[in-house]
Amino acid sequence: MRILRTVAEMRAARREAIASPVLLGLVPTMGALHAGHVSLVRAARAECAAVVASIFVNPTQFGPNEDFSRYPRTFDDDCAQLEAEGVDLLFAPAVEEMYPRGPRTLVEVEQIGDKLDGMTRPGHFVGVATVVAKLFHIVGPDRAYFGQKDAAQVAVLRAMVEDLNFPLELVVCPTVRDADGLALSSRNRYLTAEEREQARAIPGALLRIPAGLSVEQLRAWLRKRLDQTPGLRLEYAEVVDPRTLQPVTDLRGGALVAVSVQVGRTRLIDNVLLESER
Ligand code: PAF
């Protein structure tokens, strides 16, 4: 696996990689890789002739009081995992390489970027859309792979790809969970043993939603299950259309049920997609 640190190197390597007409897959990450990221790499590997991964802890998607400085950085372990999974190129730029003049031109997906995490983390999705747009321009992938765990991110990026005519396909892979159901996240490593135990209530609720509830009953049920679990503080429990993130009033057409929960100092998100009845 070749590691590329500058935009110029990445672009030259891309030209070489696509010298023969093949699909190029991109797996954007912030590092601290886990089996969820590996599943994205494997999906890309299965479909594309060349796979690029990126590791960049993007400062513009963190709020001033968030965990940018303490976000786990495990570069050597990450490289070993990517190498073992057959990744061809790793783009790992420094902050100055990505934002040499600071974050000046920003990408904002209106109407979607302020929903769910965009509501509780103002500006978060402007940072995500901006960095992902830059990665798409730098790497030029045919397919880009993201996890369903970040359902709001997926909705924002889908809209961005559509609105800005990026010539690529966004591929969404299922959430990977630990044996106890907790969705894998780089932030799970912040949890103490006690918090880890308390966090099990999140999949405990989402994966056991009773049938036959109205939207209001479902929201109340989630609030009761999650807010009343010791150690957990519910930030939001939303029942929305997975593409627009607008609230739905009826579950029969399917819905995204998404929650954000504060566990100690750690914020965890998770979701499930309810199938349409038709
Ligand atoms: O999902 C992530 O890890 C990040 O939000 C992403 C897409 C790599 C952009 O920084």
Side-chain angles (χ1 to χ4, degrees), residues 28-30 58 61 128 131-132 146 150 153:
T29 82
M30 297 206 299
N58 173 37
Q61 68 189 75
V128 170
V131 80
V132 172
F146 297 90
D150 299 311
Q153 169 167 283

